[in-house]
Amino acid sequence: MAAAERPDLAALTIAHEQPPAAAVTVEHVLLFDFEGTCDASDAGLSRLQQCALHEIIEFPALWLDAHTGAVRGTFHEYVRPTEGADGDGAARPLSTFCTNLTGITQEQVDSASPLAEVVSRFLQWVASCGLTEALADGSALLIAHGGWDLGDQLPIEAARKQLALPAWLGSRTYS
C-alpha cells in the first residue's frame, strides 16, 4: 500500500474506562504477534484450554508512528518454555507440528530466556522508547494479531507463572 493510501492511525481515538472522559488521540501503535507452543492434537480444545497448556515462544513488538505509519522501533525475542508435560520440571519439547507451523526451532527456544526475563526486557525497551506514559494514558494503542496474543495467552500464562504485568498490558480486553 502506498504511503498516500495508508489510513491515518492517529485519527483513531479510544475512550478511557475512567476519567478523563474525553477521547485521547492515538500517537503511537504497538503491534504484537506472539507464537506459542502447539500440537496437532489441540484441534478439539477451546482457545482457553489451549492457553492453559501452552507457552509463548516468540515475543515480537513493532512500534509505529500513528500519524505516518513509520516504524519507530522493534523488539523481538524468542522465549524458552519452562513447563513440563507431566509436572516433572522438564519443559516439553516443541512438536514437529509447532516447528512446521511457526518456523521456530527447538534450538532457538533452548537458547532463549524464560518469559519473565523477556517481559522484563520488553518493559525496559518500552521505557527506553519513552512509551510508558503514552501506554498508561491511552495515547499508544496496542494491536495484536487476534485476541489470543494479548487477550488470552499473555494474561493467562503470566497469572500461571505469577508474573505481574503493568495495567496497560494486562488489564484490557482484546479481540
Side-chain angles (χ1 to χ4, degrees), residues 36 51 170:
C51 289

Side-chain angles (χ1 to χ4, degrees), residues 70-172:
V71 174
R72 302 282 310 273
T74 60
F75 178 89
H76 181 271
E77 288 198 31
Y78 292 106
V79 181
R80 180 170 27 99
T82 58
E83 298 173 342
D86 299 315
D88 61 4
R92 283 179 285 255
L94 296 183
S95 67
T96 301
F97 174 85
C98 185
T99 296
N100 290 340
L101 180 67
T102 66
I104 299 170
T105 66
Q106 187 67 48
E107 294 76 24
Q108 288 171 306
V109 298
D110 284 348
S111 63
S113 298
L115 183 63
E117 293 175 28
V118 171
V119 168
S120 177
R121 284 193 290 275
F122 170 71
L123 295 176
Q124 291 170 3
W125 175 77
V126 165
S128 74
C129 294
L131 292 171
T132 305
E133 184 177 331
L135 286 160
D137 72 17
S139 61
L141 181 65
L142 304 178
I143 299 176
H145 185 251
W148 177 85
D149 301 74
L150 297 172
D152 296 334
Q153 188 62 39
L154 182 61
I156 290 170
E157 187 174 342
R160 191 172 69 232
K161 295 179 176 183
Q162 300 179 345
L163 174 61
L165 299 174
W168 55 262
L169 186 55
S171 67
R172 296 182 183 169

